[in-house]
Amino acid sequence: MFFIQIQMSFTERQIKDLIQERGIEMIKIGLLGFGTVGTGVYEIINNTENNLRRLLNKEIEVSKILVRDINKKRNVDAPKDIFTQNPLDILENPEIDIVVEVMGGIDKAYEYICLAFKNNKHVVTANKAVVSKYIDTFLELSNKYDKGFLFEASVGGGIPIIKPLKQSARINNISNVRGILNGTTNFILTKMCDENLSFDEALDMAKELGYAEADPTDDIQGYDVKRKLAILSSIAFNNKTDVDSIMCRGISSISKVDIKIFKKLGLVAKLVGSAVSNDNNYSASVEPVLLNEKSTFTTVKDAFNIVSITGNVIGELQFYGQGAGKNPTANAVVSDIFDIVTGQYKKDSFVQNGKLISADIDLFKGRYYIRVSPNNKSDISKILKLMDLDKFKYEILSMNEDLIVITDVVRADKIEQFLSKLNMLEKEYCYMRIEGDIMNLKYEAK
């Protein structure tokens, strides 16, 4: 406490002189990117009221920040000479100990992270896109140069999931990882269910409130969740999950008609990322699924996230919290910095030596809700004939304007094969797997 009080009353130059006189170690950080997360990291580290310095007995300083435009007006009080447009001012600076990559993108981020390792620097990143694609390369470089590579903020924002997942995977055979991993889509589905909004109306609300980007494609089509799931399953199964092997579809085909039927069935729609392993195979998917209205996942509303892991020793563990936002994500980044400075990262390191083979989506099965809205009502009979030819067992809920059926348990790949035969536009049908042991669905047409 005494040190913090001195820090608050002295100038920055005097503080540095005092640190040198007392022999307190200085940890220097280079920030690649200064957007929402980058500014959050800078503010936390420079907040004189935080506990970092007291807990570490070390001084932490952001000494250089890579930006596109040095002269841009910013709402953060930072000295102008801290900014640079040359990444080598950080990556080849021998005084910088930790490189924090928060600029996003893939190609440049990959290049800079690799160069940071080769220059004997620790790396912390919040970039799910680059981690999901190159996690195996980064782990290899991390081990080769004996440097930390931490990426807690890449999944779940402020939810601490990466570190406990690493720890659990050491002593458990993890068979299942699943989660609601995107706040935008969860907000949209919540509003569609609770306030009877259409998809477009809920998306517009999400944009107005800042939950959705101007271009929400990555969120609503499931690409954001796909990257996060690839990271989680790569750790859980001790085996790199190829992000491109994950079947992915979004929520834009869900209509008000579907929501109305779900409510009658006692089901709730959620966009869920799931990865399962069985023997030497794994399957991974990102898709809207239907859950019992009383399940834990259905209580997760608006922009909140939940992650569930199942191991042979621990059973099921669940992690819940805000999945995005400036402060939660920046907090996760700074927590990783703390683990590097204290050496904790060495205890949580891991290698990928699994030999699992992708089984596409063959390991998923369940009952399916299918709604088809053909342009010509006479096509309904043709669709039912196709289902009969594929030997589906099903219950018809409606044959009015739309054909709505619930199938018996069927493998996911069989459903995909059937739907491909319809040759219909995505907006003309909706299909969702019903998760859990929900065998006796009661539906009353009105």
Side-chain angles (χ1 to χ4, degrees):
M1 179 63 72
F2 173 70
F3 174 69
I4 292 176
Q5 289 174 337
I6 289 178
Q7 184 185 35
M8 292 174 68
S9 60
F10 278 51
T11 67
E12 184 175 352
R13 180 67 262 167
Q14 288 173 319
I15 293 170
K16 290 182 179 180
D17 291 342
L18 187 63
I19 288 168
Q20 191 171 11
E21 287 174 13
R22 295 191 174 188
I24 298 174
E25 184 181 355
M26 169 72 82
I27 305 297
K28 293 193 175 184
I29 293 169
L31 269 181
L32 302 178
F34 204 54
T36 301
V37 178
T39 56
V41 171
Y42 182 82
E43 288 168 351
I44 291 174
I45 290 174
N46 284 276
N47 180 359
T48 55
E49 295 180 1
N50 70 42
N51 293 321
L52 279 175
R53 295 168 179 81
R54 179 176 59 82
L55 291 171
L56 296 171
N57 196 29
K58 293 179 174 67
E59 177 69 11
I60 298 180
E61 174 189 80
V62 176
S63 59
K64 258 328 176 192
I65 302 172
L66 178 68
V67 293
R68 291 194 185 96
D69 183 2
I70 292 176
N71 298 314
K72 178 181 177 180
K73 290 185 178 180
R74 296 177 171 87
N75 296 323
V76 179
D77 184 17
K80 189 173 182 179
D81 62 0
I82 202 173
F83 297 106
T84 180
Q85 291 175 289
N86 184 357
L88 299 184
D89 288 345
I90 293 173
L91 301 172
E92 293 186 352
N93 185 335
E95 293 188 350
I96 289 178
D97 306 285
I98 304 170
V99 171
V100 176
E101 187 276 305
V102 285
M103 62 187 199
I106 295 180
D107 294 339
K108 286 294 183 184
Y110 172 76
E111 177 188 343
Y112 296 165
I113 290 173
C114 289
L115 189 55
F117 282 127
K118 291 172 183 175
N119 283 296
N120 289 299
K121 302 186 189 304
H122 302 283
V123 174
V124 172
T125 180
N127 186 341
K128 55 186 168 286
V130 75
V131 175
S132 64
K133 188 170 184 179
Y134 294 112
I135 186 171
D136 52 342
T137 301
F138 296 151
L139 289 172
E140 183 180 332
L141 288 171
S142 169
N143 291 322
K144 178 180 179 179
Y145 292 100
D146 194 26
K147 293 296 175 181
F149 171 57
L150 299 181
F151 45 94
E152 185 67 63
S154 66
V155 179
I159 303 175
I161 178 60
I162 299 293
K163 186 174 178 180
L165 182 56
K166 290 179 186 177
Q167 295 168 342
S168 299
R170 284 203 293 262
I171 56 175
N172 282 263
N173 290 321
I174 296 177
S175 59
N176 193 320
V177 179
R178 59 197 289 264
I180 297 170
L181 298 167
N182 182 270
T184 301
T185 50
N186 202 47
F187 177 88
I188 291 171
L189 290 173
T190 298
K191 297 306 176 186
M192 290 179 71
C193 180
D194 293 354
E195 299 181 21
N196 297 315
L197 299 184
S198 69
F199 170 80
D200 289 334
E201 289 169 340
L203 175 58
D204 287 343
M205 179 183 287
K207 287 181 178 179
E208 289 172 9
L209 296 176
Y211 290 120
E213 303 286 346
D215 179 2
T217 303
D218 272 10
D219 293 321
I220 64 175
Q221 294 301 329
Y223 305 143
D224 174 77
V225 176
K226 181 170 73 167
R227 295 169 187 136
K228 294 172 181 175
L229 182 64
I231 295 169
L232 292 176
S233 57
S234 292
I235 299 170
F237 302 153
N238 200 26
N239 185 95
K240 184 186 177 182
T241 298
D242 182 358
V243 68
D244 294 324
S245 74
I246 299 176
M247 189 276 280
C248 180
R249 57 192 184 89
I251 65 170
S252 57
S253 65
I254 301 173
S255 71
K256 293 179 78 171
V257 170
D258 298 316
I259 296 293
K260 185 177 180 181
I261 300 293
F262 301 160
K263 289 181 178 180
K264 290 181 179 180
L265 293 169
L267 300 173
V268 176
K270 293 290 183 182
L271 183 69
V272 175
S274 299
V276 297
S277 66
N278 184 22
D279 295 327
N280 294 320
N281 297 316
Y282 75 88
S283 289
S285 75
V286 175
E287 57 185 323
V289 299
L290 290 169
L291 303 163
N292 188 308
E293 62 186 359
K294 296 180 181 178
S295 74
T296 303
F297 271 41
T298 61
T299 65
V300 180
K301 295 181 179 289
D302 296 326
F304 283 84
N305 288 189
I306 188 170
V307 181
S308 166
I309 62 175
T310 303
N312 63 321
V313 177
I314 56 172
E316 183 181 12
L317 290 180
Q318 294 183 341
F319 303 82
Y320 169 84
Q322 279 200 296
K326 175 181 176 179
N327 291 331
T329 307
N331 181 76
V333 171
V334 176
S335 294
D336 279 348
I337 293 171
F338 181 92
D339 281 353
I340 284 176
V341 174
T342 60
Q344 177 66 36
Y345 74 94
K346 295 178 181 178
K347 298 178 183 178
D348 296 325
S349 64
F350 72 107
V351 294
Q352 294 182 313
N353 53 17
K355 297 180 180 179
L356 295 182
I357 300 170
S358 172
D360 296 320
I361 56 173
D362 294 1
L363 299 183
F364 293 112
K365 64 180 180 179
R367 302 185 72 187
Y368 274 81
Y369 166 92
I370 303 174
R371 187 260 305 156
V372 183
S373 304
N375 291 324
N376 191 334
K377 193 174 179 181
S378 64
D379 289 339
I380 288 178
S381 61
K382 296 176 183 178
I383 295 167
L384 289 173
K385 285 180 181 178
L386 278 176
M387 296 188 76
D388 292 336
L389 285 172
D390 282 354
K391 298 181 180 179
F392 285 165
K393 294 181 179 180
Y394 55 88
E395 175 187 355
I396 298 173
L397 302 188
S398 175
M399 285 181 61
N400 296 325
E401 296 300 320
D402 307 298
L403 171 64
I404 301 175
V405 304
I406 299 285
T407 73
D408 279 0
V409 175
V410 61
R411 264 179 26 188
D413 59 315
K414 300 298 182 184
I415 289 289
E416 295 293 332
Q417 290 168 15
F418 163 71
L419 291 167
S420 68
K421 297 174 185 177
L422 299 182
N423 294 318
M424 300 181 72
L425 297 174
E426 183 179 309
K427 65 180 181 180
E428 295 176 327
Y429 64 90
C430 173
Y431 68 105
M432 298 170 68
R433 188 173 68 254
I434 301 171
E435 288 205 344
D437 299 324
I438 307 173
M439 302 306 295
N440 297 312
L441 294 172
K442 294 182 179 180
Y443 175 80
E444 295 181 4
K446 293 183 180 179

